[in-house]
Amino acid sequence: MNKTACLERKTRETDIKMTVIREAETTGLEGTTGIGFFDHMLNTFAVHGGFFIRASVKGDLVVDGHHTVEDTGIVLGGIMKELCGDRSGINRFGSAVVPMDDSLAEAVIDISGRPYLVYNVPVASPMIGGYDTQLTIEFFRALAFSMGATLHINLRYGENDHHKIEACFKAAARAISQAMTERSGAVLSAKGVL
């Protein structure tokens, strides 16, 4: 299992360089995506997952935030996949239920090599600051598919949309960190492979 991984992705829409360190002495996000609320969510993800994320993200924000958010998810998911190596010696499954004031979110993950996303998080606000709230599902879909994981995120209840989304990022981070925790033994599968 790797402790550090780096990945770069450059397209006509985005230019992203990212490094993630697991179990770092300092956790959080160093860098910016150009979208304040999304930076806040990535920092939250890093802190609650026990990650240090160094990111240089340049996207076509003159269009909107879609490519920036989605491609950041692709890169972060690719790094998480690399950190898991061949997936032997990890818990594979993780789950977390996290409150954020009025909101309660649940995330469950299986780092199985079979990408899938279930996302049940209704929000009322189209924007939070300069962040388009419908991009949250795009981020988590990109993360799950690039990581090769089955990820379920459900909002049990909530009122404030900021709190709802933040609870989801915290729960996902904690579930992923738990699933990536090292254990002794071979790949956790009745088939012997993932």
Side-chain angles (χ1 to χ4, degrees):
M1 174 129 190
N2 302 317
K3 297 293 184 187
T4 303
C6 305
L7 191 61
E8 295 184 19
R9 175 182 170 87
K10 186 169 185 172
T11 71
R12 292 179 182 166
E13 299 164 339
T14 60
D15 184 356
I16 300 173
K17 297 176 184 71
M18 188 181 293
T19 300
V20 176
I21 303 171
R22 286 195 73 231
E23 301 169 7
E25 290 183 18
T26 302
T27 60
L29 172 68
E30 179 184 286
T32 182
T33 64
I35 305 170
F37 182 77
F38 187 47
D39 290 346
H40 175 43
M41 292 302 98
L42 289 175
N43 184 64
T44 295
F45 179 92
V47 169
H48 289 274
F51 305 111
F52 173 74
I53 300 174
R54 180 180 294 113
S56 170
V57 180
K58 296 173 186 160
D60 56 356
L61 295 179
V62 68
V63 176
D64 66 9
H66 191 286
H67 302 136
T68 299
V69 172
E70 182 178 40
D71 287 11
T72 299
I74 290 170
V75 172
L76 184 58
I79 288 175
M80 293 297 172
K81 182 177 182 178
E82 187 176 327
L83 288 172
C84 289
D86 66 0
R87 295 185 294 267
S88 64
I90 63 168
N91 279 337
R92 178 180 163 183
F93 298 98
S95 63
V97 179
V98 173
M100 175 72 188
D101 296 346
D102 54 278
S103 300
L104 187 69
E106 172 189 50
V108 182
I109 192 166
D110 175 9
I111 305 174
S112 62
R114 295 186 306 277
Y116 201 85
L117 176 69
V118 174
Y119 182 82
N120 296 306
V121 184
V123 294
S125 306
M127 300 291 290
I128 298 176
Y131 177 78
D132 182 345
T133 57
Q134 67 181 337
L135 297 182
T136 309
I137 188 173
E138 302 300 333
F139 170 79
F140 283 117
R141 181 182 293 118
L143 176 74
F145 276 69
S146 188
M147 187 176 180
T150 296
L151 177 61
H152 291 237
I153 299 175
N154 292 289
L155 180 74
R156 293 189 179 179
Y157 48 79
E159 296 176 10
N160 181 285
D161 288 338
H162 182 132
H163 297 163
K164 292 176 187 178
I165 292 172
E166 187 165 342
C168 290
F169 271 84
K170 288 177 179 176
R174 293 181 66 82
I176 289 168
S177 184
Q178 183 184 98
M180 292 172 70
T181 300
E182 294 182 72
R183 56 176 284 282
S184 61
V187 172
L188 188 57
S189 170
K191 295 178 290 211
V193 295
L194 286 174

